[in-house]
Amino acid sequence: FAKNILKFRDENWPYLTGAKAIPGNLPKIKVSSERLAVLEKAFSNSFAFENFWPSLNFICSWQSSACGLQAKNLQSFIKTNHLRQIDATYSASEGWANVPIKNTVGGPIHPGAHVFEFSKPGDTSRLLKMWELQPGEIYEIYFTTAMGFIRYRLHDLIKCTGYFHQSPIIEFYQKSGNDV
């Protein structure tokens, strides 16, 4: 995203300033003179998110599994200490599982969201409750939701990294079925 902003700056700048007309099938762009001044100043420095969006307080993105590699690259576009990068909620279309907390990958399971059960990878004979998870261990996760899913197997592996009060902290590890 950051690289594309820089790559296409000269091509897109005339549209932002009104020097070049937007094609008729697209909505008009309205950029205030104040915003243009912020953008012009931001482009004159090395790219930093906080230069383009001065009121930005955090960037939320997945930071575990393969996304963790890209999250490290994202850090190079953050130039001040006030802009934090926080891990996104571990979620699926079937529901959300945890609550991000600052300065950590993963977050505690939200105990009021759904009923969560877990199994050791490859062993579905015994489902574990959230209080049975052990830090450092990897589990497959199942959702039971108010919307009708009952022990729905997501085919995701999560890692328990500790506890926040009495709720296990989990992070996405990988899709199941792969070698662990």
Side-chain angles (χ1 to χ4, degrees):
F1 176 69
K3 290 177 183 175
N4 279 338
I5 288 175
L6 293 174
K7 181 179 177 180
F8 296 107
R9 178 217 182 260
D10 292 337
E11 184 179 328
N12 292 320
W13 189 255
Y15 293 111
L16 295 174
T17 62
K20 195 169 184 181
I22 299 290
N25 59 338
L26 296 175
K28 302 285 183 224
I29 295 177
K30 295 179 184 174
V31 183
S32 70
S33 58
E34 294 84 13
R35 180 68 181 142
L36 280 173
V38 167
L39 292 175
E40 195 164 30
K41 183 178 177 184
F43 277 124
S44 68
N45 298 315
S46 64
F47 187 93
F49 284 106
E50 55 269 46
N51 292 341
F52 284 83
W53 297 279
S55 62
L56 189 64
N57 290 316
F58 66 90
I59 296 174
C60 184
S61 63
W62 287 321
Q63 295 185 33
S64 62
S65 191
C67 294
L69 301 172
Q70 294 175 357
K72 289 176 185 167
N73 291 336
L74 182 64
Q75 191 63 42
S76 68
F77 298 108
I78 299 173
K79 305 297 183 200
T80 60
N81 291 332
H82 87 273
L83 182 56
R84 298 184 330 267
Q85 193 176 353
I86 62 171
D87 196 16
T89 301
Y90 166 63
S91 63
S93 57
E94 296 81 9
W96 291 24
N98 71 353
V99 179
I101 51 178
K102 67 180 186 179
N103 302 325
T104 186
V105 175
I109 292 175
H110 186 305
H114 309 292
V115 175
F116 300 100
E117 294 176 292
F118 307 86
S119 67
K120 295 297 271 175
D123 178 12
T124 59
S125 64
R126 180 169 182 262
L127 292 181
L128 305 168
K129 304 300 180 200
M130 60 188 248
W131 53 86
E132 296 178 288
L133 301 186
Q134 297 296 313
E137 295 293 318
I138 295 168
Y139 302 93
E140 192 166 348
I141 187 169
Y142 301 76
F143 281 21
T144 297
T145 71
M147 298 303 290
F149 288 109
I150 299 173
R151 290 190 167 160
Y152 185 83
R153 186 177 184 185
L154 278 92
H155 296 279
D156 284 353
L157 296 179
I158 57 95
K159 182 176 184 179
C160 176
T161 60
Y163 276 79
F164 180 80
H165 298 281
Q166 295 179 342
S167 184
I169 297 171
I170 62 169
E171 65 180 58
F172 175 77
Y173 185 74
Q174 69 183 45
K175 292 302 284 180
S176 67
N178 300 325
D179 291 334
V180 178

